[in-house]
Amino acid sequence: MASLNHVEWPFFDDHHRKLAPRIDAWAQNHLHEAHGADTDATCRALVRQLGAAGWLRYGIGGVAYGGHGDAIDTRALCLLREILASHSGLADFALAMQGLGSGAISLAGTEEQKRRYLPRVAAGDAIAAFALSESQAGSDVAAMSLTARADGDDFVLDGDKTWISNGGIADFYVVFARTGEAPGARGISAFVVDAQTPGLTIAERIEVIAPHPLARLHFDGVRLSRAQRLGAPAQGFKLAMRTLDIFRTSVAAAALGFARHALQEGLQRAATRRMFGQTLGDFQLTQAKLAQMATTIDSAALLVYRAAWLRDQGRNVTREAAMAKMSATEGAQQVIDAAVQLWGGQGVTLGTPVEQLYREIRALRIYEGATEVQQLIIGRDLLKQARDALAIGEAK
């Protein structure tokens, strides 16, 4: 059972405190780490399971469209990801990508778009994907080169997207493309592209150290009606950032789940491993390591749920979400590395829990904004605040 003591913190409401043990009990009864060799089939099955159990509803905004509430409950989403990740990295991935892939539709979709896509995502009947990154436009999103050219009443998309989670198994993709109204980030729009649209192909499947569906997409004269444009023209970059503000905090929550699992594995090892006439846990060095692991986790958790609580109060959380993601993912890497060290040689044996966690955590420090990008976001925001304060002082 996952550690749930933190749900008593004042960041949470009573319904969050009831939700946490429910998802934990469900995960214990339905999830297993051994997923099998066919990652695509496993992800599809997990999406169906999560949808049937009602958990995917928490990543959808709007009760009328299958969502749990009229807006996405960030704290609930974070609790779901944290607890699922503590049981199964692939189950966490399946839930997260449903929310990320449809998040822009929840935020800016037309009535027709919401009714067409969101109920199917919430039920697990359709798999969603978020197509933002390109080979030369990962951290630097404004450098994207995929174009969407207006042609009469349609748009025609040409170019590539890569590192796309759920690529190859998704039923639709939310795609960001350059429409050219202005240079840089001001000339990007968003579109919903069904997977079977002519001209869209899976150019390459990408294998990574923690297996999940990932692909490079190729767009060759993909023709879309204007009804497939998502949100206002040239506002795609802002829409992508609004979506990431929600799900970036949830990435941090997933890192917490991995770290909590690693701490439990470390504690079990320390309490049972006999050496030199005592247990590993009897050594002061081991106790110091465990203390650092626990403190790192709680420190990150406070940042994660502060950001989630602030967003649920309607606040802009760009800085707070960046702090949470940076702290939680970097901290989880340290905690998991410490757990591997406690396990010794078995810690690097393929298939052991800590070895799997070691592979799971590494990507979280990169996707949805690498740690270095989070540092830039935080630093720039701090400087802007300082300069604004100076300008106000000078004006007086």
Side-chain angles (χ1 to χ4, degrees), residues 270 275-276 278-293 342:
M275 57 193 309
F276 302 111
Q278 58 186 342
T279 66
L280 181 60
D282 290 323
F283 291 95
Q284 288 184 339
L285 281 173
T286 301
Q287 294 166 17
K289 189 182 292 290
L290 293 169
Q292 185 60 57
M293 293 163 74
L342 288 169

Side-chain angles (χ1 to χ4, degrees), residues 25 271 341:
Q341 199 74 8

Side-chain angles (χ1 to χ4, degrees), residues 48-301:
R48 289 192 295 270
Q49 275 187 287
L50 291 163
W55 305 126
L56 297 180
R57 297 170 57 214
Y58 288 88
I60 304 296
V63 174
Y65 314 112
H68 183 266
D70 290 331
I72 293 173
D73 183 334
T74 318
R75 288 166 291 173
L77 181 64
C78 286
L79 282 172
L80 284 164
R81 290 204 63 182
E82 178 186 344
I83 295 168
L84 285 174
S86 73
H87 289 275
S88 164
L90 204 53
D92 164 64
F93 167 85
L95 179 129
M97 290 306 112
Q98 287 294 91
L100 181 64
S102 64
I105 301 175
S106 290
L107 290 171
T110 63
E111 182 70 14
E112 192 278 332
Q113 288 169 341
K114 290 179 178 179
R115 293 195 178 279
R116 179 179 176 187
Y117 293 103
L118 296 182
R120 292 190 294 142
V121 172
D125 294 333
I127 295 177
F130 183 79
L132 181 65
S133 296
E134 299 179 9
S135 60
Q136 300 300 316
S139 296
D140 183 9
V141 174
M144 73 173 57
S145 60
L146 176 75
T147 59
R149 169 177 53 86
D151 183 23
D153 291 332
D154 298 335
F155 284 95
V156 179
L157 277 61
D158 289 286
D160 288 82
K161 292 290 182 183
T162 195
W163 307 111
I164 306 306
S165 292
N166 278 347
I169 69 168
D171 294 290
F172 68 89
Y173 300 85
V174 169
V175 178
F176 298 84
R178 183 162 299 288
T179 42
E181 293 87 349
R186 294 175 294 167
I188 294 170
S189 299
F191 301 87
V192 187
V193 184
D194 292 313
Q196 301 306 314
T197 305
L200 171 59
T201 56
I202 305 302
E204 176 188 12
R205 293 300 300 269
I206 302 169
E207 299 293 330
V208 290
I209 59 176
H212 65 263
L214 197 68
R216 177 168 63 89
L217 314 179
H218 180 62
F219 298 78
D220 183 10
V222 173
R223 183 172 291 274
L224 303 174
S225 71
R226 289 184 181 266
Q228 293 301 102
R229 185 171 60 196
L230 182 58
Q235 296 299 303
F237 180 81
K238 290 182 179 179
L239 179 57
M241 294 305 105
R242 286 174 62 203
T243 305
L244 289 173
D245 271 352
I246 301 170
F247 290 94
R248 184 170 285 154
T249 304
S250 80
V251 174
L256 283 179
F258 292 141
R260 290 192 195 280
H261 186 174
L263 176 58
Q264 291 305 310
E265 295 292 343
L267 285 167
Q268 181 183 19
R269 180 71 169 176
T272 59
R273 175 74 163 100
R274 299 290 302 179
M275 57 193 309
F276 302 111
Q278 58 186 342
T279 66
L280 181 60
D282 290 323
F283 291 95
Q284 288 184 339
L285 281 173
T286 301
Q287 294 166 17
K289 189 182 292 290
L290 293 169
Q292 185 60 57
M293 293 163 74
T295 303
T296 298
I297 290 170
D298 272 11
S299 299

